[in-house]
């Protein structure tokens, strides 16, 4: 009986909710953003999580933003360092940050060079456990406050990717709040500010964090820049993509991201704007070069070429990705570092057959699968659990079977797929011929270390990056050279050469160019979402209705 | 299947009545079962579903069930594809046929494991009590406390991609299908064991059990002939629910990299693939047909189970 | 009886230790919590090694369990990676109330877990009420009208819910009652969350947001109750002593309430006893779909990060609940049927 009465109470409450529910707070313009992952922390030092670094642009100002045209825009600094303005030293090792003199924290304290030095000290302090210290531990020699408005960052050697690092990755945190914590507790790992960042430098300020539910941001009235054009942001944590799509369609939420291309028609029908922004990511096949673990056929460049020729990537992108994207020609697709003369291999099963025949892989036992010296041409394709990747696996399996290659497909939970050598993870241990994932360098910087010979994982180097054991001395030398080449044009030249060599080796085959997808309610305008700093101009977003 | 089920020991009072007519209890029960209208309807549906997945596989080859054509993505039902096509342009009709074979095997076998373990643990714990009850029930509590999700994650890590394929009915399956049948069965018996135990706790104090014991009946006989038949109804409900749960859970388990792997279909993994807003909204055929088949399977087991129970229970003569 | 209760409570101690060891070993074997750290790309190898050391994940499994159980403030650990253990540990261990820190948020695991209990109970208790009331009602109706059209219709309806994955039901509801109703200008439900952040967590808001997830859970679970209740009611109604009561001329109503219901109560009590610990655990999929910030969602998110401190805290809490509620169930049996004795 209690149950019935209880139910009745709920029904009455629900009816009340019906009356008051859909009415929104009057007079305040608020944007709702749905993120699939809850932020781990508000302190950028403690996470490399994409959602967190994206959110940080709302409340912490970096020295510069990288805008929607991938051009740096000064924020805390007066101008972007360059050789021309003398802020990059002659030896290309020192970068000088000239701070604006009007920048302040939300409590009115000025933002000074000391905040930058403090942030650096916290990153490298052995008493703190930040997510990553790169490049501050291995590439940076010192960070010095020349005066209150001047920060000099000295690298151990010329460091080409300085623009996406040098406090762009870790915007300064407030020294006047956190230094006392560090002095008292010996670490800032557990500082209250990490979860309640009440002193900030960006256009918005987090005011409430309800775990598992949302973070409410309000306009920072003390913002040193142009104040935001609306009152606040509600960042809700909604783990399921389907729910995010439903919320966007119904209008419950204004902004969502990381949505499958296949869900875009529903959004477009509902009048939601879709923005595809270049984030440097490309979905691709990483081919295994390790003679110990790969099928021997993989060591033959013509077989690798045949594999790529036998899969119709354009049709996949047209039909499954609904034509929203295309086959990339380069690991650096969509950036100036891509070799301009490169083009993706076409879909050409006849040529694939011919190459395989010439390489001596023929079906000698009539089982429908090519073989050579008693070894069958059976290849393992591994990836994680993303549905689109599973879709691709069965399509590729069928197409490769047509040229006599048997594709065995496996997929793993991400914790296992991306596990390390010591964990006996399938990719790190080479239990694959083709591994599929989406990867990027220090976007928009092209630097990447997964193709270096020195990164090959082994018992002695269990944490190496180069799971595919790709090792080309020439490419290696070029990678080393580009990392120290600060001059943009020269660096571009070097990358074109790297790209040419890697394409010739067929070390990596692009499947689709993978821009980030942002879905934004049409009541919001002037959104200039960038692939590097998505919410960089959120203060300038305009809200109608 | 029916004869095996019917040779089960007759219910408690059956053997007391048995002296009256010349017909054996088994024949009586069979007669009752055949006259049970709901059971017969259930039986026909169940046979229909089995025919569907068996005869269907003679009409469509497994290669057809796995054949994809991306230009036919998410086509609504048509003459060529009566159940429509899926997210990579495969024929859903053919996939429900081949998926049905594997789903039915997984559903039934893990259900059998579940009810065998659950009934045995519950009956033994309840009847003997004392130390045996303590050990079995503490073990049950431990099993209830360890989430199968965690167990599956670990299994997926150890077995994923490492078990040889098996041949079954001329088809090749990942050997880890056996692993998930075992896991599904081994992690689902606790509920039934607790319910059977509660039945046994009451019944073992009842007059007829005390009488049987006084007449020198063995423990085994008391459990099999007197206690379990009175838990039949519960066991049948557990079996019905168990099949549906196993068929649906299989998809989740397989999602972790164990069990039925692409491109092999199962009713569960067809439903998992359909879990996208756009598909739920615009492609109802994708999830409707496999759901319907699972529903029909569950309903038919339910009615066959009801019929079995009624047939084995001599007290219920006024059956339809 | 007191002796029995004491014995059961004593048995709980080894049980808790065994379960915690098993779960700990399972979680440690499930993968590498540092493999992705929630990011899009795996962390740099140097950082992975450093964090492994700083978080104590480089220790042998047995040591890690020991630290988790009794803490490490009695020993020295190597935090800075110079090869010598020179920093005193700071953990006090579960036995002294320290469940460790989440590797995701750096907060004490126990605080994270406790903060989700109210949210999860709002959803799970209200759903359970609906399930029990509906299950009892439908099960009784079915039993009293066995094999009638009504019985068949109810059987089919409850099994429809049981035969569909919760995801389809939940997103289907969301599509109809949140998206379509809004489009059609009808009173509509919110898609997700516990309340509109603009309105705050008022009772009306929470109730309004509760309806869709609650109905989704109820629809998929009601069959479990209604079927068990139907079968035990039928069993009882047809039993000899009810027939005797009927033969004695007692009213149907009296028979139903006084005899049938009490005897059919045992399996129902068993089911409820099995479900109560689950109320704390929350509904993993439903909470995730409706973004309901409860225990199930917490478990799922921290499982995907293999954040073992939080997971252990949740699972240990559930184990305690299982032990307590199984004991209470067994005690309820003796109250319902005094003949039952535990030797």
């Amino acid at each position: 009986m209690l149950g019935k009465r209880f139910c009745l109470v709920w029904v009455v409450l629900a009816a009340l909710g019906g009356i008051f529910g859909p009415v929104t707070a009057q007079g305040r313009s608020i944007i709702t953003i749905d993120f699939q992952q809850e932020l781990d922390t508000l302190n950028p030092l403690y996470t490399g999580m994409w959602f967190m670094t994206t959110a940080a642009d709302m409340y912490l100002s970096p020295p510069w933003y990288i805008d929607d045209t991938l051009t740096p825009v000064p924020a805390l600094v007066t101008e972007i360092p360059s050789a021309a303005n003398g802020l990059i030293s002659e030896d290309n090792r020192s970068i000088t940050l000239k701070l604006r003199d009007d920048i302040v924290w939300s409590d009115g304290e000025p933002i000074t060079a000391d905040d930058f030095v403090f942030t650096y000290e916290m990153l490298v302090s052995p008493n703190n456990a930040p997510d990553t210290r790169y490049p501050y531990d291995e590439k940076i020699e010192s960070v010095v406050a020349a005066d209150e408005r001047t920060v000099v960052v000295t690298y151990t050697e010329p460091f080409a990717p300085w623009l996406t690092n040098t406090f762009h990755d870790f915007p300064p945190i407030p020294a006047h709040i956190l230094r006392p914590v560090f002095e008292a507790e010996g670490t800032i790992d557990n500082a209250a500010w990490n979860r309640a960042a009440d002193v900030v430098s960006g256009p918005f300020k987090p005011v409430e964090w309800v775990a598992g539910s949302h973070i409410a941001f309000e306009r920072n009235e003390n913002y040193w820049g142009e104040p935001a054009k609306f009152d606040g942001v509600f960042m809700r944590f909604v783990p399921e993509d389907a729910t995010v799509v439903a919320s966007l369609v119904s209008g419950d939420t204004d902004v969502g991201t990381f949505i499958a291309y296949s869900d875009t028609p529903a959004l477009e029908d509902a009048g939601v704007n879709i923005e595809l922004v270049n984030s440097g990511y490309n979905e691709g096949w990483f081919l295994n070069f390790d003679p110990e673990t790969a099928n021997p056929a993989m060591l033959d460049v013509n077989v690798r070429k045949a594999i790529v020729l036998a899969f119709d990537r354009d049709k996949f992108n047209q039909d499954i990705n609904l034509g929203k994207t295309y086959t990339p020609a380069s690991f650096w697709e969509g950036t100036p570092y891509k070799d301009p003369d490169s083009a993706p291999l076409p879909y050409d099963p006849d040529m694939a057959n011919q190459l395989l025949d010439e390489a001596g892989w023929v079906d000698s036992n009539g089982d429908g699968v090519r073989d050579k010296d008693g070894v069958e041409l059976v290849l393992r394709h591994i990836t994680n659990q993303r549905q689109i990747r599973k879709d691709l696996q069965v399509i590729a399996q069928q197409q490769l079977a047509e040229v006599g290659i048997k594709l065995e497909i496996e997929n793993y939970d991400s914790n296992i797929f991306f596990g390390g050598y010591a964990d006996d993870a399938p990719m790190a241990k080479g239990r694959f011929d083709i591994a599929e994932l989406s990867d990027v360098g220090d976007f928009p910087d092209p630097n990447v270390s997964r193709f270096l010979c020195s990164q090959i994982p082994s018992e002695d180097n269990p944490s190496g990056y180069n799971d595919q054991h790709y090792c080309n001395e020439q490419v290696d030398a070029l990678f080393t050279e580009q990392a120290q080449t600060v001059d943009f044009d020269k660096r571009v030249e070097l990358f074109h050469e790297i790209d040419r060599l890697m394409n010739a080796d067929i070390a990596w085959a692009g499947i689709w160019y993978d821009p980030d997808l942002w879905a934004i309610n049409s009541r919001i305008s002037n959104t200039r979402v960038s692939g590097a700093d998505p919410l960089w101009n959120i203060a300038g977003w305009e809200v109608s209705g | 299947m029916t004869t095996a089920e019917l040779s089960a020991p007759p219910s408690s009072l059956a053997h007391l009545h048995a002296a009256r007519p010349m017909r054996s209890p088994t024949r009586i029960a069979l007669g009752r079962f055949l006259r049970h209208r709901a059971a017969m309807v259930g039986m026909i549906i169940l046979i229909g579903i089995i025919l569907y997945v068996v005869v269907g596989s003679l009409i469509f080859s497994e290669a057809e069930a796995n054949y994809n054509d991306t230009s036919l993505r998410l086509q609504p039902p048509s003459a060529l594809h009566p159940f429509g096509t899926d997210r990579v342009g495969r024929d859903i009709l053919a996939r429900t046929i081949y998926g049905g074979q594997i789903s039915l095997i997984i559903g039934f076998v893990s259900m059998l494991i579940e009810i065998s373990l659950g009934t045995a643990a519950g009956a033994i714990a309840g009847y003997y009590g004392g130390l045996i009850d303590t050990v079995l029930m503490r073990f049950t509590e431990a099993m209830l406390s360890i989430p199968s999700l965690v167990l599956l994650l670990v299994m997926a890590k150890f077995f994923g991609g490492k078990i040889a394929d098996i041949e079954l009915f001329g088809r090749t399956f990942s050997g880890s299908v056996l692993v998930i049948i075992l896991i599904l069965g081994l992690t689902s018996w606790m509920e039934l064991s607790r319910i059977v135990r509660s039945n046994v706790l009451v019944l073992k104090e009842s007059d007829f059990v005390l009488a049987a014991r006084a007449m020198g009946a063995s423990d085994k006989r008391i459990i099999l002939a007197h206690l379990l038949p009175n838990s039949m109804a519960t066991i049948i409900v557990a079996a019905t629910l168990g099949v549906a749960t196993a068929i649906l859970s299989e998809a989740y388990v397989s999602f972790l990299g164990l069990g039925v792997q692409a491109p092999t279909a199962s009713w569960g993994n067809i439903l998992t693939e359909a879990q996208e807003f756009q598909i739920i909204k615009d492609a109802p055929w994708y999830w409707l047909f496999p759901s319907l088949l699972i529903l029909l399977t569950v309903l038919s087991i339910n009615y066959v189970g009801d019929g079995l129970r009624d047939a084995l229970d001599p007290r219920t003569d006024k059956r339809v | 009886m007191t002796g029995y209760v004491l014995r059961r409570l004593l048995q709980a101690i080894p049980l808790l230790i065994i379960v915690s060891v098993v779960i700990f070993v399972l979680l440690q074997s499930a993968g590498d919590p540092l493999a992705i750290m929630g990011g899009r790309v795996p962390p740099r190898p140097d950082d992975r090694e450093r964090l492994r050391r700083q978080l104590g994940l480089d220790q042998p499994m047995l040591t890690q369990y020991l630290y988790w159980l009794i803490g490490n403030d009695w020993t020295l650990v190597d935090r800075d990676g110079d090869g010598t253990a020179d920093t005193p540990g700071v953990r006090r261990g579960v036995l002294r109330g320290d469940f460790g820190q989440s590797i995701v948020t750096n907060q004490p695991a126990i605080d994270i877990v406790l903060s989700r209990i109210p949210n999860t109970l709002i959803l799970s208790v209200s759903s359970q009420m609906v399930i029990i009331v509906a299950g009892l009602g439908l099960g009784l109706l079915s039993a009293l009208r066995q094999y009638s059209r009504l019985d068949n219709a109810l059987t089919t309806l409850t099994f429809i819910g049981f035969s569909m994955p919760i995801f389809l039901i939940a997103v289907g509801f969301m599509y109809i009652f949140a998206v379509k109703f809004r489009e059609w200008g009808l009173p509509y439900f919110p898609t997700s969350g516990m309340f509109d952040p603009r309105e705050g967590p008022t009772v009306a808001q929470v109730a309004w947001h509760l309806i869709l997830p609650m109905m989704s859970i109820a629809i998929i679970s009601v069959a479990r109750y209604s079927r068990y209740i139907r079968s035990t009611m039928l069993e009882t109604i047809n039993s000899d002593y009810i027939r005797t009561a009927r033969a004695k001329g007692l009213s149907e109503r009296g028979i139903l309430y006084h005899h049938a219901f009490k005897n059919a109560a045992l399996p129902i009590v068993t089911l409820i006893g099995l479900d109560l610990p689950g109320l704390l655990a929350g509904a993993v999929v439903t909470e995730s779909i409706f973004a309901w910030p409860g225990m199930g969602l917490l478990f799922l998110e921290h499982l995907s990060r293999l954040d073992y401190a939080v997971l252990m805290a949740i699972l240990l809490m559930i184990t305690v609940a299982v032990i307590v509620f199984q004991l209470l169930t067994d005690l309820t049996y003796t109250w319902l049927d005094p003949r039952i004795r535990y030797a």
Side-chain angles (χ1 to χ4, degrees), chain B residues 21-61:
Chain B
M22 298 304 287
R23 294 160 66 203
S24 74
T26 313
R27 302 251 335 240
I28 298 172
L30 184 61
R32 283 212 195 89
F33 183 74
L34 292 175
R35 273 179 278 118
H36 197 287
R37 213 176 65 198
M40 282 302 105
V41 172
M43 204 69 196
I44 289 165
I45 300 175
L46 194 58
I47 292 172
I49 290 171
I50 293 170
L51 284 179
Y52 174 75
V53 302
V54 173
V55 175
S57 66
L58 304 175
I59 300 168
F60 296 93
S61 69

Side-chain angles (χ1 to χ4, degrees), chain C residues 253-322:
Chain C
R253 226 199 156 99
I255 293 170
L256 201 63
Y257 280 116
H258 293 289
H259 297 273
F261 208 71
K262 199 167 173 192
N263 274 281
L266 246 65
I268 298 164
V269 166
T270 312
L271 270 186
I272 295 176
L274 285 165
D275 280 352
L276 288 179
L279 299 189
L280 274 174
V284 172
V285 182
T286 314
E287 286 182 7
S288 159
I289 292 170
F290 288 102
W292 188 272
M295 199 68 72
L297 180 55
L298 183 75
F299 179 75
L300 204 64
E301 293 198 323
H302 288 252
L303 184 65
S304 73
R305 304 282 292 272
L306 294 172
D307 184 4
Y308 79 95
V310 170
L311 297 172
M312 287 296 288
I314 297 177
L315 295 175
L316 220 60
M317 177 186 75
I318 293 171
T319 311
V320 171
V322 167

Side-chain angles (χ1 to χ4, degrees), chain A residues 262-263 266 319 385 391 398, chain B residues 67-68 70 87 255 276 278:
Chain A
S262 51
D263 268 332
D319 293 346
Q385 299 284 0
D391 292 348
Q398 181 171 312
Chain B
Y67 182 78
N68 58 66
T70 53
R87 52 186 304 130
F255 187 76
E276 224 168 72
Q278 187 84 44

Side-chain angles (χ1 to χ4, degrees), chain A residues 308-367:
Chain A
V308 181
L309 287 168
F311 176 46
D312 194 344
R313 298 175 283 174
D314 291 342
K315 185 167 164 62
F316 180 87
N317 287 324
Q318 196 55 46
D319 293 346
I320 303 292
N321 283 329
L322 308 183
K324 300 277 176 200
T325 178
Y326 58 89
T327 312
S330 156
F331 189 78
W332 293 273
E333 185 70 32
T335 74
Y337 304 99
K338 166 195 169 184
D339 170 20
D341 302 327
S342 66
L345 288 171
Y347 171 58
D348 192 343
D350 295 336
M351 194 194 215
N353 273 320
Q354 194 190 328
L355 284 171
L356 289 168
D357 287 343
E358 285 166 10
W361 291 89
V362 286
D363 184 11
S364 65
N365 53 10
D367 64 353

Side-chain angles (χ1 to χ4, degrees), chain A residues 16-35:
Chain A
L16 286 174
I19 297 164
F20 300 113
V23 183
T24 50
Q26 294 81 14
R28 284 175 40 87
S29 54
I30 284 167
I31 287 179
T32 312
I33 299 180
D34 281 5
F35 274 3

Side-chain angles (χ1 to χ4, degrees), chain A residues 2-4 6-7 10-11 13-18 20-25 30-32 34 36-41 46-51 125-135 137-138 187-190 194-195 208-214 234 236-240 242-243 246-247 249-252 254 258 279 281 413-416 418-423 437-440 450 455 461-465 514 516 523, chain C residues 28-55 79-81 87 101 103-108 112 115-116 119 122 125-127 129-130 133 167 171 174-175 178-180 182-183 187-201 203-211 214 284-285 287-294 297-298 300-306:
Chain A
L2 176 76
K4 258 186 194 158
F6 195 77
C7 268
W10 280 128
V11 169
L13 291 178
L16 286 174
F20 300 113
V23 183
T24 50
I30 284 167
I31 287 179
T32 312
D34 281 5
Q36 281 93 334
Q37 271 184 317
E38 179 164 9
L39 308 190
D40 292 352
T41 168
Y46 289 98
T47 181
M49 179 189 198
W50 181 86
F51 285 106
S125 162
N127 295 324
N128 293 330
D131 183 64
T132 180
R133 289 175 176 160
Y134 180 82
D137 54 349
E138 59 175 73
T187 172
I188 58 164
D189 287 0
N190 307 311
N194 297 351
R195 289 195 69 81
E208 181 193 45
W209 183 348
V210 177
S213 173
H214 70 273
F234 281 117
R236 310 193 308 166
F237 305 119
V238 181
E240 288 293 339
T243 313
S247 302
V249 169
S250 79
D252 274 1
D254 297 312
F258 275 98
S279 59
Y281 278 89
D413 187 68
S414 290
N415 285 309
I416 296 170
F418 293 111
Y421 188 85
D423 304 308
L437 62 145
S438 192
D439 202 5
V440 70
R450 67 151 60 246
Q455 289 290 342
N461 183 22
S463 38
Y465 261 140
D514 196 15
D516 286 351
R523 77 190 185 101
Chain C
Q28 297 272 322
S29 317
D32 179 9
L34 303 179
I36 42 174
M37 289 293 284
R40 283 170 92 174
V41 281
R44 188 177 56 141
D46 295 3
D47 292 315
R48 209 191 272 197
E49 265 173 41
R50 173 179 54 80
L51 281 166
R52 197 181 299 282
R53 186 185 68 244
Q54 286 182 322
L55 301 172
R79 192 173 150 90
D80 48 14
T87 318
Q101 268 200 346
I103 61 168
V104 173
T105 68
N106 277 351
Q107 291 170 292
I112 299 179
S115 73
R116 298 293 182 97
N119 296 348
I122 290 175
V125 171
S126 56
S127 315
M129 297 268 186
V130 174
V133 171
F167 193 99
V171 178
M174 197 185 288
Y175 176 60
V179 177
K180 276 288 155 188
R182 188 167 187 170
E183 206 178 294
Y188 57 91
F189 288 95
T191 46
S192 62
M194 240 180 108
F195 51 86
D196 186 332
R198 277 162 276 231
E199 304 288 332
V203 176
Q205 273 291 322
V206 174
W208 190 237
H209 281 71
L210 180 69
I211 308 269
M214 181 177 76
V284 172
V285 182
E287 286 182 7
S288 159
I289 292 170
F290 288 102
W292 188 272
L297 180 55
L298 183 75
L300 204 64
E301 293 198 323
H302 288 252
L303 184 65
S304 73
R305 304 282 292 272
L306 294 172

Side-chain angles (χ1 to χ4, degrees), chain A residues 408-438:
Chain A
E408 282 183 347
I409 55 184
E410 283 163 23
N411 36 61
Y412 297 89
D413 187 68
S414 290
N415 285 309
I416 296 170
F417 184 62
F418 293 111
Y421 188 85
D423 304 308
D424 193 33
M427 194 162 44
K429 273 292 179 75
R431 285 196 302 277
F432 71 98
D433 295 295
I434 303 167
E436 178 170 332
L437 62 145
S438 192

